[in-house]
Amino acid sequence: MRAYWFDNQPGDQREDHDSGRPVHPDQLKKLGVLYYHLPDLDAVDELAAQRHYKNRDEITVSPEKMGDVYEDKVKMFFNEHLHQDIEARYILEGKGFFDVRDVNDDWIRIALTKGDLLILPAGIYHRFTTDQSNVSPKIAPRPFPPPAGRRQAVN
């Protein structure tokens, strides 16, 4: 994982957009963004159990898997959005970027590769994109917390 301030320069969203200003993991923690490097799905399962995550999905973001809708999907994932629940993503293969907004409304880019797991808090604006290589990130599984009203607070 490598985090830095997004440079806000025009260009393809899949470029690095590295401002040259790194962001320390402690700064991500202050935003509620948690990072883990986990060696395999067994470790992901263990963390999911500790955090009481029950539901999962898996997505492979690639031209081969998505066909003609690939470019539209990559653009859709890059649209800024938020969720009412935690979002956790584990990179099983490939690489990609998650961008999150900080308290001053600036973007922080987080470059993720195989073995990286990122947990975004509910209510944080974020977006996702592949990098320029279009090497498909296989993001799997995404452990979700249980439905609202049944959550247990776990740090």
Side-chain angles (χ1 to χ4, degrees), residues 73-133:
K73 285 289 186 183
V74 168
K75 287 177 183 158
M76 182 190 79
F77 294 148
F78 198 64
N79 285 328
E80 172 180 5
H81 63 282
L82 57 81
H83 302 285
Q84 292 181 353
D85 270 317
I86 293 165
E87 180 173 4
R89 285 294 188 179
Y90 178 69
I91 307 297
L92 189 60
E93 298 173 5
K95 52 189 171 178
F97 300 111
F98 269 94
D99 297 338
V100 298
R101 282 211 183 266
D102 79 340
V103 295
N104 296 316
D105 228 16
D106 295 317
W107 285 111
I108 297 172
R109 175 151 279 194
I110 305 165
L112 300 173
T113 59
K114 181 180 178 175
D116 290 339
L117 184 137
L118 195 67
I119 300 175
L120 304 177
I124 192 169
Y125 282 98
H126 64 281
R127 59 193 184 189
F128 173 79
T129 190
T130 59
D131 72 351
Q132 282 189 307
S133 72

Side-chain angles (χ1 to χ4, degrees), residues 35-47 90-93 113-117 140:
Y35 166 76
Y36 300 87
H37 186 80
L38 302 174
D40 54 37
L41 286 177
D42 289 339
V44 173
D45 290 342
E46 185 178 321
L47 181 66
Y90 178 69
I91 307 297
L92 189 60
E93 298 173 5
T113 59
K114 181 180 178 175
D116 290 339
L117 184 137

Side-chain angles (χ1 to χ4, degrees), residues 2-18:
R2 187 170 67 90
Y4 51 88
W5 295 103
F6 188 82
D7 68 8
N8 291 312
Q9 296 300 310
D12 191 309
Q13 69 196 37
R14 293 170 275 204
E15 294 175 4
D16 284 349
H17 287 281
D18 188 345

Side-chain angles (χ1 to χ4, degrees), residues 63 66-73:
M66 295 180 155
D68 293 340
V69 301
Y70 172 74
E71 286 295 331
D72 289 337
K73 285 289 186 183

